[in-house]
Amino acid sequence: MSKSRRLSIIAAVSLTIYILILSLGSSEIKYPLPSYNKADIFNYIVTESEKLNLPSFSAEDVTFINAKANNSIGRYVESRQFDERQLDELQQKVPIYTIEVETGERLYEINPSNGRITRASGISLPFNEKNSIDNFIQTYFGSGYTLQTQKASEGEIFTDWHMKYVYTASTSLDNISKVVEIYTSENKIIEFQQYGAAAGFPLQEVEDSTGLMIISIFMLLFLVTLLIIVTVQLIKRLIKKQIEAFVAPFLLSLVAGFGWFFLTSAMGGSITGFGAIEPAFMTYLTLATLLIRWKKSAKSHEIKILEWKDAIFQGLLLTIIFFALTSLFFYITGFFGSWISPVLNHGLLINVNPWILPIFTLFIGLSAAVTEEAVFRRYMIPFFDRFGVITSVLLTSFLWGILHLAYDVHPWYLRVIEFMIIGGPFFYFVYKKFGFKTAAFCHYFNNSLITAFFLFSVNINVAIVALFLSVSPLLFLLYRTK
C-alpha cells in the first residue's frame, strides 16, 4: 500500500475524530468582533490622555498594537458559559479585553467598549500625598474603590516602581470585582492599570512570571547563539565553496522574508527602525539555514514534479491528521482549566482592510512554513540527531515551542506543552518520514486553513477568497509532465 493511500485512510479517520470533537462542543466563548478601527483607537487615546494630562502620540509613533483579553474574566466566562446577553452586561461593568498600543517609550491600553484608558505605563503624573492617588482613582475610574494593599518594591529586579497600591471595588455581578493598581516612584505615578477580577480565577500576570522571564532570557540567548553558529557555519561553507545551490534557497527566503515584513505590519508592528529587526532576522535565518543544508539534486524534471505533487497532497492529508491531534489536545486540557484568548485575531481585524486578509492568510502559511521548517527541521534535526532521537525530538520541540510564547493563553506555557507533546514530535516524524517539502506544506496548510476558517466568522466573501488561496497549491496537482 502506498504512503498516500495509507495517509488517506488515516486522514479520513482523523477527519471523523475532528468532526466528532467539534460536535461535542467547545467551552470557548466568542467575543463580539470589533466594531471600531485603528483610527477610533487613536482618537480614544487623544481624548482620554488630555483628560489625564498624559502625553499622547500619533499613529507614526506606534510600534505595536494588539488585542489583549483579561484571562481572569475570560476563564470565569467560559466556566459559567455566558450567553451574549450576559457577556454584554459584564462588558458594561469591567473591561473583558483591551487594545494594547505601544511606542518605544510608553504603553496604553484602551477599553474599546467605552474608549477609556485602562492602563498607562511609561508616564509621570506628580502627586504630593496618598490622598491625591485616591482623588485620581475617584475622578477617572469612579467611586467605591478602597485601598486593599500597598507594598514597597524592596529593590526587586526588573522593577522601576517604589510603591504599589491596589484598590478594589465591588460590582453588581456576583464574584466580579474591579481592581485598580497604581505604581509610584518619587512622588509620581509611573503606571496604572484597571481590570476586572473573578473570584476563584486569579489574574495571570504573565509579565511578572519568573518562569516566563527565565525562559525569555533563555530564548534570547538561544537566538543569539543560533545566529552566531549559523553565521560561522555559513561563512565556512562559503570559503570552502561548499554551498551547493543558491537560486532556490534565495527565492524561498525572498518569499518568506516579504511575508514576515507583511505579517509584522498587518499585526500592528512597525517595519522601520527596531521594528524591522525581527522580520529581517527571520529572513536571514531562513536563507542561511537553507544555504547550509540545501543539496543539489540530479533527479529529472519529471521526478521532481512528481515529488512536489506528493508533497502537496501528503501535506494536506497530514494537516487533517494534525487538526485532529491538536483539537483533541485542547479539548482534553480544557477540562483542566486551559484557556485560549477569544481575541487573538482582533488586532489583525482593526489593523488591515478586510480584503487584505486573504493575503495575510497566504503568508501566515508560507512564511512560517518555510522559515520554521528550514530552521527547526532541516537545520536542527540533523544537528541534534547526533545525541539520539529522543533528545532531538525534545530539544527541537521545546525550542520551537518557546518561540510561540506570545500567544495569549492560560497557563502561559500551554503552547510549549502543546509543542512538546503534539506539534514537535508530529513534525519530527513528518520530516523524517516524508521529507522537508511535505513538512513545509503540512505546516503551510495548517496555518493558512486555520486562519481562513476563522474569517468565515468575519466576512464570508473574504473567507472564500482566503480559502481558495489556502488550497491553491492543490492546483499544481493538475500539472502534467510530458
Side-chain angles (χ1 to χ4, degrees), residues 130 133 147 149-150 163-167 180-182 184:
K130 190 200 65 90
I133 295 179
L147 178 64
T149 62
Q150 64 181 73
M163 291 295 297
K164 174 183 177 181
Y165 303 88
V166 179
Y167 292 75
V180 173
E181 296 179 356
I182 303 290
T184 66

Side-chain angles (χ1 to χ4, degrees), residues 220-231:
L220 179 61
L221 293 175
F222 157 67
L223 291 175
V224 172
T225 303
L226 177 64
L227 178 65
I228 295 172
I229 292 174
V230 167
T231 301

Side-chain angles (χ1 to χ4, degrees), residues 166-325:
V166 179
Y167 292 75
T168 63
S170 60
T171 70
S172 58
L173 301 174
D174 292 338
N175 302 316
I176 300 293
S177 60
K178 296 182 290 185
V179 181
V180 173
E181 296 179 356
I182 303 290
Y183 299 84
T184 66
S185 176
E186 298 179 353
N187 295 324
K188 293 179 182 178
I189 297 175
I190 61 172
E191 180 177 353
F192 67 80
Q193 181 176 14
Q194 187 225 16
Y195 57 89
F201 298 88
L203 185 69
Q204 175 182 253
E205 289 286 3
V206 177
E207 295 87 348
D208 297 332
S209 169
T210 303
L212 179 61
M213 194 172 297
I214 293 172
I215 289 183
S216 297
I217 294 173
F218 172 80
M219 181 172 65
L220 179 61
L221 293 175
F222 157 67
L223 291 175
V224 172
T225 303
L226 177 64
L227 178 65
I228 295 172
I229 292 174
V230 167
T231 301
V232 170
Q233 194 172 0
L234 178 61
I235 292 173
K236 285 183 177 180
R237 286 181 175 267
L238 287 170
I239 293 174
K240 296 179 179 181
K241 297 182 180 180
Q242 294 177 336
I243 301 299
E244 298 187 21
F246 178 77
V247 175
F250 175 77
L251 291 177
L252 278 175
S253 302
L254 186 65
V255 172
F258 178 84
W260 285 120
F261 278 90
F262 173 81
L263 294 172
T264 300
S265 177
M267 292 300 293
S270 171
I271 54 174
T272 59
F274 288 107
I277 292 177
E278 182 177 349
F281 177 79
M282 300 296 279
T283 305
Y284 171 75
L285 271 187
T286 306
L287 177 61
T289 52
L290 286 177
L291 287 173
I292 291 170
R293 297 294 190 202
W294 200 277
K295 299 297 180 182
K296 192 173 183 178
S297 175
K299 296 176 181 177
S300 67
H301 175 71
E302 287 75 15
I303 296 297
K304 290 180 180 178
I305 293 298
L306 289 174
E307 286 182 346
W308 277 95
K309 287 184 176 181
D310 284 343
I312 294 169
F313 184 59
Q314 291 170 355
L316 180 61
L317 295 177
L318 287 162
T319 300
I320 296 172
I321 297 170
F322 189 61
F323 275 0
L325 291 173

